[in-house]
Amino acid sequence: MRQLNRLNQFTRLWQHSRGAVQQTSVAEMAERCFCSERHVRTLLRQWQQNEWLDWQAQSGRGKRGTLRFLQNPEQLRSALLQQQLDGGQTQHALQLVQLAPEQLAHLLQPFMGGQWQNDAPTLRIPYYRPLDDIQPLSLDGRAEQHLARHIYAGLTRFADHQPVADLAHHWVCGDNQKEWFFFLRPQLHWHSGEAIDAGQLQQQLQRILQSETGSKLLASVKSITLAHALCLRFELHCPDNWLAHRLASVSCLLPHPQDEKLGAGPYRLSHFSPTLVRIESHGWYHLQHPLMQAIEYWITPQLFDSQLGTSCRHPVQIAIGAQHELSRLRPVSNSISLGFCYLAIRQSEALSPAQAAKLMHLIQQAEMVARLPLEEGLITPGRELLPGWPLPCWPENPHISLPAILQLHYHLPVELDAMAHQLQQLLAMHDCQLQLHFHPGKSWKNYNDLPSADLIMGDRLIGDAPQFTLESWLRLDSLWPAILDAEQYRRLIASLDQIQALAQESDRFDGLQHTFQQLMSDAVITPLFNYRYQVSAPPGVEGIYLNSWGWFDFTRAWIPPPVMIE
């Protein structure tokens, strides 16, 4: 980017005297700018025309002239940043902000939060890490799953924890409960404007069905065919009253079969890079259009320096707004996450059921979560699996000894590292050496050492439809076949098949609760803690309501337009 190079060269000149008047020569300036004398003369001419500086040369080779600075680098960088943003060149703008944290925070002040860009409302969110590719079948991160729901559409979607119409406007189940029909909306379009053909949706659903995740999630589905140009027919092996829920899950969102970046959701993906992700609303969306024209994630890890006290201190606490607005940010929405970090115990000869129960009792009695060295208000101890699903009280068993050595495997989030070391200290007091194995991932996908673990800690994200999400967890996560023996796992899946055949939702909920209560009573699994979700925003950003993903619905956010006062 030529403008950035020019700015960097100007900055090197300015730094020599910190903006004070300089007596210097062309040769000296060329050395500071790492270029030829001829090129420096060209730069000086351009900078003088743009009123960046004033250069009064003295005649004669090697003579010193007078260099006065009319602008400082920070002013120029900010103006250039605004110029790039106004021109819609956000990716170029981000090249300007590779600065130290304190400089970056100051520079980005006017540009974060809700802004009007070329008469279009835009929301800019500073984010602490690069985002993974948005591929619905392989998403683990909470931010990525939230983005996917805005970019892609499915046959159904979730609203208030229930499946509702999306690409399909209605669906019906046949009398034998093994045949489902999903009726498509007419005149559906991809983000490119191309009309959506039912055959394209069928093709994508077949791909999902043949994938590792889809074959488990849609295990009840025998075939997917076109009953009509606007109707898809699902034939099932066995009754499945979760089918509409399954088709609303992230894994069943439907990209274009020839271009996976294209979807049919309320926003289209317009830019994706390690430094910037931008999505824009479009005119082809089949439901209510968003109020915010564009959403931008500015990937700026420098802003998340704990010494600065800025912005989003943790990924579950999102701040929207400029640095100078931080004092005015207000928590507009907060909640306790339904998802949780958990401890699981593998059923094996190395750890008997009585020993597993004692270990659960020790953790419960020690109140370890309350003593973790974490930021106050970030987590809360898990008291129940879901609201109304209480934890059992495990027996004390003072005469039971723990094994001499146990292996603990755990993955992200980082709070589990603190928990692992606390647990290590606790078990040492009971003559048990806990050996720690950290997996730097968000899930157990493609992790081959899980069968060697005695104890396992991980994170279970719950967004929409919590009971259904837990049912999917049992079917999809590689945790369960690793901690249960083959016969136990076979019985678990068989019980899930029986539960999904129940017509009444309340009966399915009761069946799932009984299943998890049994797993907890058997000391197989227990939640450790939940996160406290929070979204903060400055006074000018409206429509921010925290959802079950710990984010907010981008389609509902809005900012008042600037008012011209005569």
Side-chain angles (χ1 to χ4, degrees):
M1 182 179 174
R2 181 175 297 180
Q3 291 172 303
L4 179 58
N5 292 334
R6 297 290 181 266
L7 178 58
N8 289 336
Q9 289 171 315
F10 178 86
T11 301
R12 285 191 284 270
L13 274 186
W14 186 89
Q15 286 175 338
H16 183 72
S17 64
R18 304 299 297 176
V21 176
Q22 294 182 24
Q23 297 296 319
T24 186
S25 68
V26 170
E28 290 175 346
M29 289 188 284
E31 184 177 353
R32 291 170 195 154
C33 291
F34 304 111
C35 63
S36 66
E37 293 184 24
R38 179 180 179 182
H39 188 58
V40 160
R41 289 190 177 90
T42 300
L43 291 176
L44 290 172
R45 187 164 54 252
Q46 292 175 349
W47 290 340
Q48 195 150 7
Q49 290 173 351
N50 292 330
E51 298 183 346
W52 289 17
L53 52 72
D54 178 63
W55 166 242
Q56 298 297 326
Q58 295 291 329
S59 60
R61 183 172 179 82
K63 293 287 186 178
R64 289 178 173 272
T66 303
L67 181 65
R68 290 183 175 85
F69 294 94
L70 307 179
Q71 303 273 358
N72 64 50
E74 186 174 294
Q75 291 171 323
L76 295 174
R77 194 180 294 268
S78 181
L80 187 53
L81 182 62
Q82 183 68 67
Q83 177 185 336
Q84 296 292 343
L85 292 174
D86 288 344
Q89 301 297 318
T90 313
Q91 64 273 26
H92 291 162
L94 279 173
Q95 296 179 27
L96 297 169
V97 297
Q98 304 305 309
L99 303 172
E102 61 277 5
Q103 295 174 294
L104 175 62
H106 181 70
L107 177 65
L108 293 184
Q109 282 182 12
F111 306 112
M112 288 293 104
Q115 302 284 330
W116 282 84
Q117 177 182 311
N118 295 334
D119 294 328
T122 301
L123 187 62
R124 297 193 180 101
I125 303 170
Y127 203 61
Y128 75 107
R129 64 169 175 85
L131 296 174
D132 298 331
D133 287 343
I134 311 300
Q135 298 177 348
L137 262 178
S138 58
L139 294 180
D140 294 320
R142 194 165 50 90
E144 286 85 352
Q145 293 188 42
H146 181 65
L147 260 179
R149 289 183 174 277
H150 285 83
I151 297 170
Y152 302 104
L155 293 182
T156 58
R157 62 186 179 90
F158 285 116
D160 298 325
H161 302 309
Q162 292 294 328
V164 299
D166 197 355
L167 296 176
H169 60 85
H170 285 87
W171 62 90
V172 296
C173 177
D175 293 338
N176 64 359
Q177 291 191 302
K178 292 186 179 181
E179 198 172 39
W180 290 63
F181 296 88
F182 288 82
F183 307 109
L184 303 179
R185 299 176 190 273
Q187 299 179 336
L188 294 170
H189 292 84
W190 300 107
H191 291 155
S192 61
E194 175 191 347
I196 293 178
D197 180 84
Q200 293 175 316
L201 302 184
Q202 179 201 19
Q203 181 181 346
Q204 282 298 80
L205 287 164
Q206 290 285 8
R207 288 181 180 175
I208 294 171
L209 193 57
Q210 293 165 8
S211 69
E212 181 180 358
T213 297
S215 64
K216 296 176 183 178
L217 180 65
L218 301 175
S220 61
V221 177
K222 182 179 180 180
S223 66
I224 305 170
T225 57
L226 291 179
H228 180 269
L230 290 175
C231 181
L232 290 170
R233 175 173 52 225
F234 286 70
E235 186 180 355
L236 308 186
H237 296 289
C238 56
D240 184 2
N241 288 294
W242 293 117
L243 183 60
H245 292 73
R246 301 192 196 284
L247 295 174
S249 61
V250 171
S251 298
C252 288
L253 294 172
L254 300 171
H256 190 288
Q258 274 75 52
D259 186 352
E260 290 198 345
K261 293 182 179 180
L262 291 179
Y267 285 93
R268 66 178 182 88
L269 185 63
S270 63
H271 184 84
F272 190 95
S273 73
T275 55
L276 171 72
V277 175
R278 177 182 169 92
I279 58 176
E280 299 175 354
S281 65
H282 62 101
W284 298 107
Y285 187 48
H286 52 278
L287 298 176
Q288 182 175 344
H289 288 204
L291 302 176
M292 196 70 71
Q293 176 67 26
I295 308 290
E296 293 177 353
Y297 288 71
W298 286 37
I299 315 301
T300 48
Q302 310 97 308
L303 278 183
F304 297 87
D305 189 325
S306 60
Q307 301 301 315
L308 298 177
T310 60
S311 199
C312 169
R313 295 172 294 176
H314 189 278
V316 301
Q317 296 181 342
I318 303 166
I320 308 161
Q323 181 71 15
H324 70 282
E325 293 177 315
L326 289 177
S327 61
R328 296 191 296 140
L329 291 183
R330 72 222 190 272
V332 294
S333 193
N334 57 71
S335 68
I336 304 297
S337 68
L338 289 174
F340 47 80
C341 287
Y342 62 83
L343 171 72
I345 300 179
R346 187 166 68 90
Q347 308 294 286
S348 70
E349 295 179 359
L351 198 63
S352 70
Q355 290 172 318
K358 176 172 182 173
L359 201 153
M360 291 292 195
H361 172 80
L362 290 175
I363 294 172
Q364 191 175 56
Q365 293 302 308
E367 296 187 349
M368 295 174 56
V369 173
R371 297 188 290 108
L372 289 177
L374 301 175
E375 181 181 337
E376 184 178 356
L378 182 62
I379 64 173
T380 184
R383 306 297 185 191
E384 49 190 3
L385 191 72
L386 288 180
W389 294 18
L391 306 188
C393 291
W394 292 278
E396 184 174 358
N397 288 336
H399 304 296
I400 298 293
S401 298
L402 294 176
I405 299 177
L406 288 173
Q407 307 294 327
L408 170 64
H409 292 240
Y410 63 100
H411 63 57
L412 295 170
V414 294
E415 287 72 28
L416 285 180
D417 186 65
M419 187 73 189
H421 286 88
Q422 287 271 41
L423 184 57
Q424 190 178 49
Q425 295 175 19
L426 174 65
L427 296 192
M429 297 169 58
H430 294 267
D431 301 318
C432 176
Q433 179 187 353
L434 186 64
Q435 297 181 348
L436 307 183
H437 306 269
F438 173 65
H439 170 50
K442 304 184 186 77
S443 73
W444 297 118
K445 190 183 303 178
N446 301 322
Y447 184 70
N448 299 323
D449 294 333
L450 204 57
S452 65
D454 299 308
L455 310 179
I456 299 169
M457 291 197 306
D459 184 23
R460 178 62 260 167
L461 174 64
I462 294 181
D464 300 297
Q467 291 85 357
F468 163 71
T469 300
L470 289 181
E471 196 268 359
S472 296
W473 184 32
L474 294 176
R475 288 188 180 274
L476 301 181
D477 202 312
S478 54
L479 168 75
W480 300 101
I483 64 176
L484 301 176
D485 63 36
E487 178 57 25
Q488 288 173 322
Y489 186 65
R490 186 198 65 77
R491 290 201 303 267
L492 175 63
I493 297 300
S495 69
L496 296 180
D497 290 342
Q498 292 175 355
I499 290 169
Q500 74 182 22
L502 299 173
Q504 294 298 319
E505 184 178 69
S506 59
D507 293 337
R508 297 199 299 276
F509 288 179
D510 290 343
L512 274 176
Q513 182 177 358
H514 175 76
T515 299
F516 274 99
Q517 288 294 157
Q518 190 63 54
L519 289 169
M520 289 191 294
S521 296
D522 292 342
V524 175
I525 192 84
T526 186
L528 297 171
F529 55 83
N530 305 79
Y531 283 106
R532 296 180 182 271
Y533 287 155
Q534 179 174 299
V535 174
S536 300
V541 182
E542 307 293 341
I544 305 294
Y545 302 99
L546 191 68
N547 62 19
S548 53
W549 296 86
W551 280 85
F552 58 95
D553 187 343
F554 292 157
T555 65
R556 299 177 64 185
W558 63 283
I559 53 176
V563 179
M564 301 299 294
I565 301 176
E566 296 183 0

